[in-house]
Amino acid sequence: MRLDVVTIFPEYLEPLNVSLVGKARARGQLDVHVHDLRQWTYDRHNTVDDTPYGGGPGMVMKTEPWGEALDQTLADGYDAGAQGPVLVVPTPSGRPFTQELAVELSERPWLIFTPARYEGIDRRVMDEYATRMPVYEVSIGDYVLAGGEAAVLVITEAVARLLPGVLGNAESHRDDSFAPGAMANLLEGPVYTKPPVWRGHAIPEVLVSGHHGKIARWRRDEAFRRTAANRPDLIERCDPAAFDKKDRETLSILGWAPEPGGRFWRRVEGVEE
Ligand SMILES: C[S@@+](CC[C@H](N)C(=O)[O-])C[C@H]1O[C@@H](n2cnc3c(N)ncnc32)[C@H](O)[C@@H]1O
């Protein structure tokens, strides 16, 4: 996979040399190119922003540097044999970045990121490149960062670990929180390693029972417990057909009940039904 990042803070992307992403680069699984947007400015101050039309606070990133930067990035990539670019635009007003979207992006051969600063990029840049390639405007959460570089690091790491051969054990992401499959929409439960007792805290006995069925059941119950506590919205969205009898029992113990349509809703404590 080829990744291009255009930014006014190339040094912010240094973590792409470290750990899983760094190793994927070293092995040639990821071909990363970071570009300084100011290369495509021609005034003494290397200006990339200007005041917003219509007034208001803050500055807006200008069309010209972004246009030249993206044209050059595309031309260089095509020259190097890359195909099928998609533009990934980090923005708090984008669609939420989810594991599903990470999987979708991991299937693309070439991602071009445009992390912005100030109040973001002049809209016409996204409109222009949307005529040439898919544009994904992506938010990594309901909060506002000062710039999109941290979002690029988040998205890159989530995508890179899904690429074939990047994780040592290909099974590792099978049971991840949000992973598609039997545990879809559930968060992963707690995990343990040696020693069996630490400062008086013992691991759950079932994990050393050697009984795979019981271990799988325990993991699923714990996933329900954690999801119910931290992300009840995920349980409400679950297709009830995915729940077995024991799941329903666990949910009922946790205070959930099926509504007439079959979906589960948490009962409000103290309310007579
Ligand atoms: C200060 S923010 C601009 C916020 C903009 N005024 C708004 O409310 O949508 C500057 C840049 O940081 C990045 N950014 C901030 N929060 C983000 C988030 N939650 N997800 C992805 N990128 C974000 C984007 O690149 C954004 O253009």
Side-chain angles (χ1 to χ4, degrees):
M1 171 182 275
R2 179 178 169 118
L3 298 185
D4 283 277
V5 187
V6 183
T7 167
I8 58 168
F9 291 120
E11 62 277 23
Y12 209 123
L13 282 306
E14 280 296 311
L16 295 180
N17 291 314
V18 179
S19 186
L20 177 131
V21 174
K23 283 189 192 144
R25 289 180 79 172
R27 284 196 294 256
Q29 291 155 325
L30 264 185
D31 179 22
V32 180
H33 302 259
V34 179
H35 315 274
D36 186 346
L37 179 69
R38 294 197 200 273
Q39 259 182 269
W40 291 281
T41 56
Y42 305 101
D43 64 313
R44 210 155 51 90
H45 302 290
N46 299 113
T47 309
V48 293
D49 59 316
D50 208 336
T51 51
Y53 275 122
M59 301 293 271
V60 175
M61 296 191 93
K62 291 160 67 65
T63 49
E64 296 98 329
W66 278 108
E68 286 193 30
L70 291 173
D71 287 348
Q72 186 69 53
T73 300
L74 283 164
D76 290 350
Y78 284 124
D79 279 353
Q83 296 283 329
V86 303
L87 200 63
V88 184
V89 182
T91 165
S93 47
R95 62 194 266 200
F97 184 58
T98 58
Q99 188 64 17
E100 200 182 351
L101 185 50
V103 171
E104 191 175 329
L105 293 177
S106 75
E107 287 160 0
R108 297 288 190 158
W110 184 7
L111 307 181
I112 303 175
F113 290 96
T114 60
R117 290 268 149 180
Y118 315 107
E119 295 307 318
I121 305 171
D122 186 308
R123 179 74 224 165
R124 291 168 293 178
V125 174
M126 278 66 79
D127 294 344
E128 160 72 10
Y129 290 92
T131 65
R132 307 192 208 169
M133 67 189 81
V135 174
Y136 289 76
E137 292 184 81
V138 180
S139 166
I140 62 161
D142 292 345
Y143 41 77
V144 179
L145 301 164
E149 290 76 10
V152 173
L153 296 176
V154 167
I155 297 169
T156 302
E157 187 156 314
V159 168
R161 67 192 289 282
L162 297 173
L163 298 177
V166 166
L167 282 187
N169 179 352
E171 301 271 282
S172 296
H173 47 71
R174 193 197 52 194
D175 292 340
D176 281 343
S177 302
F178 316 113
M183 305 284 267
N185 287 319
L186 294 184
L187 304 180
E188 194 180 82
V191 292
Y192 301 88
T193 185
K194 294 173 231 23
V197 181
W198 177 74
R199 296 188 183 176
H201 302 274
I203 61 159
E205 252 173 49
V206 63
L207 295 179
V208 283
S209 67
H211 193 300
H212 297 304
K214 282 190 182 154
I215 293 173
R217 185 68 253 174
W218 178 85
R219 287 197 168 134
R220 193 165 167 89
D221 290 346
E222 289 302 311
F224 271 111
R225 233 181 281 287
R226 190 173 274 194
T227 311
N230 295 341
R231 291 293 305 276
D233 57 305
L234 294 180
I235 291 185
E236 284 163 10
R237 274 191 269 151
C238 266
D239 177 358
F243 298 147
D244 63 22
K245 191 161 162 262
K246 182 66 174 51
D247 294 340
R248 288 164 190 279
E249 268 172 42
T250 308
L251 280 171
S252 152
I253 292 165
L254 293 171
W256 292 72
E259 55 147 27
R263 285 190 188 274
F264 275 74
W265 298 94
R266 198 199 281 267
R267 276 185 242 127
V268 181
E269 270 171 46
V271 174
E272 294 290 321
E273 291 179 68

